[in-house]
Amino acid sequence: MPISKELYPSQDDLVYEEELLRNPFSLKLWWRYLVARRDAPFKKRFIIYERALKALPGSYKLWHAYLTERLDIVRNLPVDSHQFETLNNTFERALVTMHKMPRIWIMYLSTLTAQQWVTRTRRTFDRALCALPVTQHDRIWELYLRFVSQEGVPIETSLRVYRRYLMYDPSHIEDFIEFLLNSRLWQESAERLASVLNDDQFYSIKGKTKHSLWLELCDLLTKHAKEVSGLNVDAIIRGGIRKFTDEVGRLWTSLADYYIRRGLFEKARDIFEEGITTVVTVRDFSVIFDAYSQFEESMVAHRMETLELSDEEGDDGPLENGPEQDEDLRLDVNASDFEKKILSGFWLTDDNDVDLLMARLEHLMNRRPELANSVLLRQNPHNVEQWHRRVKLFENNPTRQILTYTEAVRTVDPMKAVGKPHTLWVAFAKLYEKYNDLDNARVIFDKAVQVNYKTVDNLATVWCEWAEMEMRHKNIKAALELLRRATAEPSVEVKRRVAADGNEPVQMKLHKSLRLWNFYVDLEEALGTLESTRAVYERILDLRIATPQIIINYALLLEEHKYFEDAFKVYERGVKIFKYPHVKDIWVTYLSKFIDRYGKTKLERARELFEHAIEMTPADSVKPLYLQYAKLEEDYGLAKRAMKVYDQATKAVPNNEKLSMYQIYIARAAEIFGVPKTREIYEQAIESGLPDKDVKTMCLKYAELEKSLGEIDRARGIFVFASQFADPRSDAEFWNKWHDFEVLHGNEDTFREMLRIKRSVSASYSQTHFILPEYLMQKDQTLNIDEAKDKLKQAGLPEDEMAALERQLAPMVNNTHSKDNSRKVGFVSAGVESQGDSGVKVNANQEDIELPDESDSEDDEKVEIAQKDVPSAVFGGLAGKREEPEASAASDGDAGGRLGALERIKRQKRGG
């Protein structure tokens, strides 16, 4: 073939040609030649490549560059172009020397795959696998599998290729199974899936679990039951049910679906029933039950449709010929019509079994609560509540209830029970009692009391229920005998034997059951004698299981039978046994009963009881006892002792109750000794360390008292003292009361003094709250104004001008001091101490009041001064009591004379 002149070497090529003539086997020279002619036409470069490869046929670099350029030329050409054949020949020539190069094989195989030459491509893949080492086969197999997965490749070819690939790499069996499923090859895909699941060393490269593969296999076997054979589907799915417990319901329905698709409907029903009775979760039960009910409904619907179609065909079909037709059927022994004729009349072969199917469906729906309860009991057979619910399901069937109770008491372990297992025994016995079978009920109770329950209270409840049953049927003696048996202490021999075993049952502790003893003592108290009841109470006290209520009940029983001293001894035992707060009710009952019984006859003993009770009672609960003690002294003792008790109470109660205690103290003192006596109590309360708000309240009450007695200056002094505890911004009530007081009883100077004090207190509070830190502001109610001023002074803040002026005007000479140095400045005493002449009253009016001169005229009219009676409250109740015996004595004496004490005693003896 002649070569055109354009392809001859040009003048510029002479340099490279001369070098190649000198060294034609130099790859470097040939490559430099090709690079220099990169822009030349491909035909010219083709000649250069061919010349270079002829000189260097084993150069991978030249072959790869040559093949790459030839691929670029045919890239946009149609597949049937002759250039592809030329390219294939070039690849074949390259593989003569490059058969160990996987990149050349990949380029060639990709080109053949694009050309869609199936046989030629397959054979080339085989040649590549034979030529290359095994370590490089993975690069070829990727293209090979992609090739056989294309459309148009025969299934048998693809299967053979995949099987060969699994021999090379068995871990990619999932890809093969997926290919089989896509190719609808159900038999082999099921077999491959089964083999994978049977391989314990299998590891999924796609991240699938054995559980998901099991589900895939089950779906495959059930949906294509007729296409898959040779596998024991029942065994496979049952193996999955045993191994995987989270999808049991789905596996059971899959197995039933398999038999449904095979037409074995009765076997499918058996599978559904087995699944319902074996699952242990409500979710799985719901899945199986829904599938079961849908199956029965579909069976009913299908049978009804079949009957309708057969009726239509019977109406349209020709009439039979009677005996002649029968003869023909008898001659044709293989005919299906003859079989139907022979078997007609049997209910199992009757096509019209819609009623049977409907009855099955209805029976299934009615059994749903029972089946659901069975699932819950399989979850936990020791769930007592579920057993009770199961019994309620058979409410109208006593036989089933008895069988259920029997199964329940056999199944439930009291140590593992959820709930109260003794209720099963009690309900079982009550079932027999309901039908008046007391003998069997007693047998049930007798077995129930022998069970080793978790707690003693459960066993005691069974004994109590047994005794109550006997009482309901008027067997009083039997009930008492049962309780005596239950409360009897085990013998020493029994205790020794149980100690040797090491497992102590609850029956050994039953004799200390408080529930049982309470029931026993109530029964004895209602039906027994006093001696038997006392014996039971004493036994309870000896066992040290008594409660405060039992002590009180025992004492009340003795009081009802006039055994008062014995009752008080029981109270004494109770207060020795119990501590506070349990002993509180015993003390209250004991003291009230003792006072009601003896009154003033045993006053000293009552006082000792109160002192002992107060000593044992904590401070936060001692107030009622003090009030009861003071009431005793008021009614039967001395008034001064009552006041002493009140005084002790004010010191013993906690701070939050001191104010109320002082109010009671003041009220009683005013009623007994008179209002003036309360001044000392008010002073004591103010100086006792009450909280600021309580001090202010007490001061207001004290001021009201002084105002009612006409002591205006003393009331004003109390207001001045209390002002340091009242912030004008938050306590307007106090300042309103002082304002009203000054309006009624003051003058212009006292009113100005009140306003000045109000401004001073307001300024002190504002500066204190402004400068004090937060933790001191929280304690502001316990800090007084003086402490706040000291803190301000320590902080370096100047005093307000009003306070400085007040200090300058204050008298410098004041040598009179009170006995109590802790008394606050400005407090007005009740007059216990008298002030000397040198003393200066702080709150006195500094201005002299000029009185008009007395008139010497005798003609002036005499002014009558009205006198106001002193209120009786001033004198108190004792003054009235003192006047009564004086008045009676004056009426009895001669000429109104008063009798002496000796004479009165003599008269009382003569009168007695």
Side-chain angles (χ1 to χ4, degrees):
M1 179 178 174
I3 302 175
S4 62
K5 294 182 179 181
E6 297 176 356
L7 301 180
Y8 285 109
S10 61
Q11 189 68 29
D12 298 332
D13 299 335
L14 293 178
V15 179
Y16 302 103
E17 292 290 343
E18 290 175 355
E19 290 180 352
L20 289 173
L21 288 175
R22 287 192 297 268
N23 188 6
F25 303 104
S26 174
L27 175 63
K28 186 176 182 181
L29 294 178
W30 285 109
W31 191 255
R32 189 169 56 185
Y33 192 7
L34 289 170
V35 172
R37 295 292 173 262
R38 67 170 63 94
D39 296 331
F42 176 72
K43 290 184 178 181
K44 187 173 183 179
R45 290 171 58 82
F46 166 73
I47 294 174
I48 299 173
Y49 271 120
E50 290 292 340
R51 291 171 58 198
L53 290 171
K54 187 176 181 181
L56 299 171
S59 174
Y60 170 77
K61 189 173 184 179
L62 287 176
W63 277 114
H64 185 268
Y66 184 30
L67 294 172
T68 302
E69 289 192 21
R70 296 206 67 119
L71 283 173
D72 291 338
I73 291 175
V74 302
R75 191 177 304 278
N76 298 322
L77 296 178
V79 178
D80 55 352
S81 175
H82 68 281
Q83 293 288 345
F84 278 98
E85 189 62 29
T86 305
L87 175 63
N88 295 337
N89 294 333
T90 306
F91 271 111
E92 291 292 340
R93 288 191 294 116
L95 288 173
V96 173
T97 55
M98 296 289 105
H99 58 276
K100 296 296 182 182
M101 299 298 172
R103 186 61 195 164
I104 304 298
W105 281 108
I106 291 172
M107 294 171 64
Y108 186 23
L109 294 172
S110 299
T111 305
L112 290 177
T113 302
Q115 298 175 35
Q116 298 181 354
W117 295 98
V118 177
T119 303
R120 185 175 182 179
T121 306
R122 178 177 58 81
R123 290 176 178 174
T124 306
F125 271 113
D126 293 341
R127 287 168 52 201
L129 292 173
C130 293
L132 293 175
V134 179
T135 56
Q136 295 180 350
H137 281 191
D138 55 340
R139 304 177 68 180
I140 305 300
W141 276 114
E142 183 179 357
L143 293 174
Y144 204 174
L145 294 179
R146 192 184 306 163
F147 162 69
V148 297
S149 299
Q150 291 180 345
E151 294 183 0
V153 178
I155 296 296
E156 188 62 29
T157 301
S158 302
L159 288 177
R160 291 178 180 274
V161 171
Y162 265 106
R163 288 168 186 155
R164 287 174 57 196
Y165 176 62
L166 290 179
M167 295 173 64
Y168 165 73
D169 187 3
S171 63
H172 288 77
I173 190 172
E174 291 176 273
D175 296 332
F176 183 37
I177 294 173
E178 186 177 352
F179 170 76
L180 292 174
L181 292 175
N182 294 333
S183 303
R184 300 179 180 276
L185 300 175
W186 314 118
Q187 179 68 34
E188 188 172 357
S189 60
E191 293 175 355
R192 292 286 181 174
L193 265 177
S195 64
V196 165
L197 292 171
N198 290 329
D199 187 6
D200 295 333
Q201 298 180 352
F202 172 75
Y203 176 76
S204 175
I205 61 175
K206 292 188 176 182
K208 291 184 179 181
T209 61
K210 283 286 187 74
H211 178 256
S212 62
L213 294 174
W214 265 103
L215 295 180
E216 289 182 10
L217 177 59
C218 293
D219 292 340
L220 177 62
L221 294 176
T222 54
K223 292 180 181 179
H224 307 282
K226 295 182 179 180
E227 290 85 354
V228 178
S229 61
L231 292 176
N232 191 348
V233 178
D234 191 282
I236 291 173
I237 298 181
R238 287 181 184 275
I241 291 172
R242 288 190 299 270
K243 193 171 184 179
F244 305 105
T245 58
D246 54 344
E247 288 288 345
V248 174
R250 181 177 173 183
L251 293 175
W252 278 114
T253 53
S254 298
L255 182 57
D257 190 23
Y258 168 76
Y259 285 111
I260 291 171
R261 293 178 185 273
R262 296 289 300 271
L264 303 174
F265 302 120
E266 293 300 328
K267 184 64 176 177
R269 287 192 181 93
D270 294 339
I271 295 299
F272 278 126
E273 290 289 342
E274 185 180 357
I276 285 177
T277 54
T278 55
V279 293
V280 294
T281 63
V282 178
R283 182 169 62 90
D284 293 334
F285 168 77
S286 300
V287 171
I288 299 175
F289 187 84
D290 293 342
Y292 193 6
S293 58
Q294 290 177 4
F295 164 68
E296 293 291 353
E297 290 175 359
S298 61
M299 288 292 293
V300 173
H302 175 69
R303 185 52 54 88
M304 293 180 70
E305 291 178 359
T306 305
L307 291 176
E308 290 177 359
L309 292 175
S310 63
D311 291 341
E312 293 176 0
E313 292 176 358
D315 294 339
D316 297 338
L319 296 175
E320 295 183 356
N321 296 323
E324 297 179 359
Q325 185 68 23
D326 293 341
E327 291 178 0
D328 295 338
L329 288 175
R330 285 193 295 269
L331 292 175
D332 189 7
V333 294
N334 295 324
S336 60
D337 294 336
F338 177 71
E339 183 181 354
K340 292 180 180 180
K341 190 72 174 179
I342 294 299
L343 298 177
S344 64
F346 294 93
W347 65 274
L348 286 175
T349 59
D350 189 6
D351 292 337
N352 190 6
D353 57 350
V354 178
D355 294 337
L356 176 61
L357 296 176
M358 291 291 292
R360 281 177 172 171
L361 179 59
E362 184 179 358
H363 180 61
L364 176 63
M365 293 302 177
N366 292 335
R367 289 167 53 212
R368 192 184 195 287
E370 178 185 352
L371 295 172
N373 181 263
S374 300
V375 174
L376 297 175
L377 287 176
R378 282 193 293 275
Q379 288 181 358
N380 184 8
H382 308 289
N383 192 331
V384 177
E385 181 61 28
Q386 293 301 328
W387 282 110
H388 283 297
R389 293 181 182 178
R390 187 175 184 83
V391 173
K392 288 182 180 179
L393 296 176
F394 313 116
E395 190 170 0
N396 298 323
N397 192 347
T399 304
R400 291 294 302 273
Q401 287 183 330
I402 291 173
L403 293 175
T404 304
Y405 274 127
T406 304
E407 184 182 0
V409 296
R410 288 178 180 174
T411 305
V412 176
D413 185 358
M415 297 302 172
K416 302 177 183 178
V418 178
K420 299 178 179 180
H422 68 279
T423 57
L424 290 172
W425 289 98
V426 173
F428 195 6
K430 286 184 177 181
L431 179 62
Y432 280 111
E433 183 189 1
K434 179 181 178 182
Y435 293 97
N436 297 321
D437 191 355
L438 296 182
D439 294 335
N440 280 326
R442 292 188 182 99
V443 171
I444 296 300
F445 273 121
D446 187 54
K447 292 182 179 179
V449 296
Q450 299 175 17
V451 177
N452 186 17
Y453 298 100
K454 187 183 296 185
T455 61
V456 180
D457 190 63
N458 293 343
L459 180 59
T461 304
V462 176
W463 280 102
C464 293
E465 291 288 346
W466 192 357
E468 287 180 358
M469 185 193 75
E470 297 293 349
M471 291 178 62
R472 284 194 295 268
H473 294 277
K474 310 301 181 183
N475 297 328
I476 305 301
K477 293 183 179 180
L480 290 173
E481 184 61 30
L482 283 174
L483 294 175
R484 290 191 188 98
R485 281 177 52 194
T487 55
E489 187 174 359
S491 62
V492 179
E493 179 65 23
V494 174
K495 290 183 179 179
R496 185 183 60 79
R497 194 182 307 118
V498 170
D501 294 340
N503 186 13
E504 185 179 7
V506 293
Q507 282 78 6
M508 302 301 296
K509 305 175 185 177
L510 181 64
H511 66 284
K512 290 188 177 182
S513 173
L514 186 60
R515 178 191 184 99
L516 199 60
W517 281 106
N518 282 331
F519 184 67
Y520 187 17
V521 77
D522 290 343
L523 198 59
E524 285 285 356
E525 192 171 345
L527 304 174
T529 61
L530 178 62
E531 288 74 14
S532 62
T533 307
R534 291 188 66 174
V536 175
Y537 273 118
E538 290 296 333
R539 181 62 179 159
I540 292 174
L541 293 175
D542 293 340
L543 290 173
R544 297 181 179 274
I545 59 173
T547 62
Q549 188 60 44
I550 289 179
I551 297 294
I552 295 173
N553 293 341
Y554 187 16
L556 292 177
L557 173 68
L558 294 174
E559 289 179 12
E560 289 178 1
H561 293 82
K562 308 301 181 183
Y563 292 92
F564 296 104
E565 284 300 327
D566 292 344
F568 294 149
K569 289 180 181 178
V570 173
Y571 284 127
E572 291 289 345
R573 293 177 67 180
V575 297
K576 290 179 181 178
I577 294 173
F578 299 101
K579 302 298 181 183
Y580 200 85
H582 308 290
V583 77
K584 177 180 178 181
D585 294 334
I586 300 178
W587 271 119
V588 172
T589 309
Y590 182 19
L591 294 172
S592 60
K593 293 293 183 182
F594 189 86
I595 294 172
D596 294 340
R597 171 65 181 165
Y598 293 109
K600 62 181 180 180
T601 57
K602 294 187 178 182
L603 190 58
E604 288 301 325
R605 182 178 172 185
R607 287 170 178 165
E608 291 178 0
L609 289 176
F610 273 108
E611 292 293 341
H612 184 49
I614 289 171
E615 184 180 353
M616 294 178 61
T617 306
D620 55 350
S621 302
V622 78
K623 180 179 177 181
L625 290 177
Y626 271 115
L627 294 179
Q628 195 175 1
Y629 189 11
K631 184 69 167 54
L632 171 70
E633 294 292 350
E634 290 180 13
D635 294 342
Y636 305 109
L638 300 176
K640 289 185 178 181
R641 292 187 65 92
M643 293 299 104
K644 185 179 179 181
V645 172
Y646 283 123
D647 185 56
Q648 293 176 358
T650 56
K651 296 180 177 62
V653 297
N655 290 334
N656 59 344
E657 294 183 356
K658 280 188 176 182
L659 178 61
S660 61
M661 194 68 235
Y662 270 114
Q663 291 175 351
I664 297 173
Y665 185 14
I666 291 169
R668 300 307 301 159
E671 183 179 351
I672 297 173
F673 291 102
V675 176
K677 179 68 175 177
T678 60
R679 285 176 172 168
E680 299 176 4
I681 305 174
Y682 275 116
E683 292 180 14
Q684 178 184 345
I686 293 171
E687 298 175 357
S688 64
L690 289 173
D692 290 349
K693 60 178 181 178
D694 295 341
V695 172
K696 181 182 62 178
T697 303
M698 193 61 66
C699 288
L700 288 176
K701 291 182 177 294
Y702 193 10
E704 289 292 332
L705 171 66
E706 296 293 353
K707 185 176 70 172
S708 65
L709 296 178
E711 297 289 346
I712 303 302
D713 289 338
R714 291 180 60 82
R716 182 177 293 110
I718 295 171
F719 273 116
V720 172
F721 172 75
S723 63
Q724 59 184 322
F725 306 107
D727 187 1
R729 295 171 299 179
S730 60
D731 195 358
E733 181 182 1
F734 172 81
W735 295 98
N736 291 336
K737 288 185 178 180
W738 193 3
H739 179 275
D740 297 339
F741 171 79
E742 294 295 345
V743 168
L744 293 176
H745 305 285
N747 54 30
E748 183 178 355
D749 294 334
T750 59
F751 195 83
R752 287 179 178 176
E753 181 70 12
M754 181 199 70
L755 296 178
R756 186 194 67 78
I757 293 174
K758 185 176 182 180
R759 289 194 300 272
S760 177
V761 172
S762 179
S764 300
Y765 268 101
S766 62
Q767 293 183 9
T768 302
H769 283 249
F770 179 75
I771 199 63
L772 287 181
E774 184 177 357
Y775 76 96
L776 288 176
M777 292 176 65
Q778 295 176 354
K779 298 166 55 180
D780 184 53
Q781 295 187 359
T782 58
L783 292 173
N784 56 24
I785 301 300
D786 294 335
E787 294 175 352
K789 289 180 179 179
D790 293 341
K791 292 185 179 296
L792 290 172
K793 193 178 297 182
Q794 293 174 5
L797 293 178
E799 253 185 53
D800 58 311
E801 298 179 359
M802 184 63 71
L805 182 61
E806 198 176 286
R807 188 173 61 254
Q808 292 176 5
L809 295 177
M812 301 301 295
V813 181
N814 189 2
N815 297 324
T816 304
H817 299 282
S818 61
K819 294 181 181 179
D820 189 3
N821 292 330
S822 64
R823 182 169 297 181
K824 296 179 177 59
V825 179
F827 181 69
V828 180
S829 176
V832 178
E833 294 185 5
S834 60
Q835 295 179 351
D837 296 338
S838 60
V840 179
K841 294 182 179 179
V842 178
N843 295 322
N845 192 357
Q846 302 296 329
E847 297 183 1
D848 295 334
I849 301 176
E850 297 181 358
L851 298 177
D853 297 335
E854 296 182 358
S855 177
D856 297 333
S857 175
E858 297 179 357
D859 298 335
D860 294 341
E861 297 181 356
K862 294 181 178 180
V863 179
E864 294 183 0
I865 300 175
Q867 294 185 358
K868 185 178 180 181
D869 295 335
V870 178
S872 59
V874 176
F875 300 104
L878 293 180
K881 293 181 180 179
R882 186 173 64 248
E883 291 175 358
E884 291 177 1
E886 292 177 358
S888 62
S891 61
D892 295 338
D894 296 334
R898 180 174 297 177
L899 295 177
L902 182 59
E903 188 65 26
R904 288 199 304 274
I905 293 173
K906 291 179 179 179
R907 289 193 177 187
Q908 288 178 1
K909 289 183 177 180
R910 288 197 298 269

